[in-house]
């Protein structure tokens, strides 16, 4: 198959999908496409007004769509726990969890004291996935898709000591560059996916874990980045025709292509993976270090106090 487009998205009727950060950008395009194919989509967003506006926009193009919203602020473990509880109460089963929400260009800490990009992009999703996993585990063909980035290549998590700056209580942490911390969080998204897949497979679970990246896409992602970084990135995305819809295709393929397998990573198939239609892509050697994946997992369980059932 040369070009995988939204037309290849299989019928989603009877499937239940939870998409984080679904009120705008790639998450919105993902939710809209899944809903248009008949999935019941839960938009898990930090701002309920923005989420409801997104629901109205989806309903305009897909009036039959079944849509719900749940408040989820990934910068707060208490909010993640409350959202997971609400999701578990409302959904007896989940076919698809899309860990899409993300931030870049921000410095500072989450309310729990984690470096903010690592906290939102990785730890929040690690906790959410662990807390709702029991709704996916009995479902044949269920998937967890986590959205990473080309930027993961510049990230480093050499050992657990490298995670120390992720805690407020740590001393001696070097001042951190927000580009580096974004890259680290996106590397963590991939390492989480690979370790989750290993554990699911070892447990004989029918659920699989996959990752995707959009290349670039003209979304709100650079809203907190300095102008010198935001302007050229958005210009390139626009020139390459990287709409949020194009950016969502790798996620959709990882989420629903019947040929896609656990542990795979999808991104644009064109030059430098910044444009083109989705295909399987390779991730950095650092993301493949199984020892570090396990250590990141154990550290994430410790930091979030969310313990997976395997
Ligand atoms: N666009 C690109 O070029 C690009 C490139 C590589 C990777 N990515 C990845 O693609 C994913 C989607 O990004 P996007 O480009 O669609 O960006 P976006 O337009 O900025 O959308 C990000 C979404 O994440 C949500 N979010 C942010 N902080 C949150 C929090 N604390 N709790 C819950 N939700 C939160 C936002 O909610 P609000 O609207 O309420 O802020 C928004 O819905 C991210 O993981 C990003 O790292 C994007």
């Amino acid at each position: 198959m040369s070009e995988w487009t939204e037309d290849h998205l299989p019928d989603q009727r009877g499937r239940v999908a939870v998409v984080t950060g679904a009120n705008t950008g790639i998450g919105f395009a993902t939710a809209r496409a899944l809903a248009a194919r008949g999935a019941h989509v839960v938009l898990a967003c930090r701002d309920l007004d923005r989420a409801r506006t997104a629901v109205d926009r989806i309903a305009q193009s897909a009036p039959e769509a079944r849509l719900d919203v749940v408040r989820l602020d990934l910068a707060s473990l208490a909010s993640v726990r409350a959202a997971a509880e609400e999701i578990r109460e409302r959904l007896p089963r989940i076919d698809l969890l899309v860990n899409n929400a993300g931030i870049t260009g921000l410095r500072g800490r989450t309310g729990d004291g984690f470096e903010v990009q690592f906290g939102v992009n990785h730890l929040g999703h690690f906790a959410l996935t662990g807390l709702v996993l029991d709704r996916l585990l009995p479902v044949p063909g269920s998937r967890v898709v986590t959205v990473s980035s080309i930027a993961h290549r510049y990230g480093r998590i050499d050992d657990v000591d490298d995670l120390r700056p992720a805690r407020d209580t740590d001393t001696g942490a070097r001042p951190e560059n927000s580009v580096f911390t974004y890259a680290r969080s996106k590397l963590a998204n991939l390492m989480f996916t690979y370790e989750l897949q290993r554990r699911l497979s070892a447990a004989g679970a029918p659920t699989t874990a996959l990752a995707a990246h959009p290349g670039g896409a003209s979304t709100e992602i650079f809203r907190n980045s300095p102008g010198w970084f935001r302007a050229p990135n958005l210009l390139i995305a626009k020139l390459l025709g990287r709409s949020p819809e194009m950016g969502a295709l790798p996620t959709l393929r990882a989420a629903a292509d019947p040929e896609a397998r656990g542990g795979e990573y999808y991104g644009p198939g064109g030059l430098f993976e910044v444009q083109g239609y989705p295909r399987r892509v390779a991730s950095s050697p650092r993301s493949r270090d199984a020892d570090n994946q396990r250590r990141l997992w154990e550290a994430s369980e410790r930091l979030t106090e969310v313990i997976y059932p395997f």
Side-chain angles (χ1 to χ4, degrees), residues 128-183:
L128 178 70
T129 306
L131 291 167
V132 301
L133 196 63
D134 64 335
R135 291 293 184 264
L136 289 120
L137 286 177
V139 182
S142 56
R143 297 184 189 183
V144 178
V145 176
T146 301
V147 181
S148 181
S149 166
I150 294 172
H152 85 270
R153 294 187 176 279
Y154 313 110
R156 295 189 78 94
I157 306 174
D158 290 332
D159 53 42
V160 176
D161 279 351
D162 241 28
L163 290 178
R164 283 188 310 149
R167 284 291 266 194
D168 224 8
T169 46
D170 294 314
T171 52
R174 61 186 180 279
E176 292 205 285
N177 174 311
S178 69
V179 175
F180 169 78
T181 52
Y182 177 69

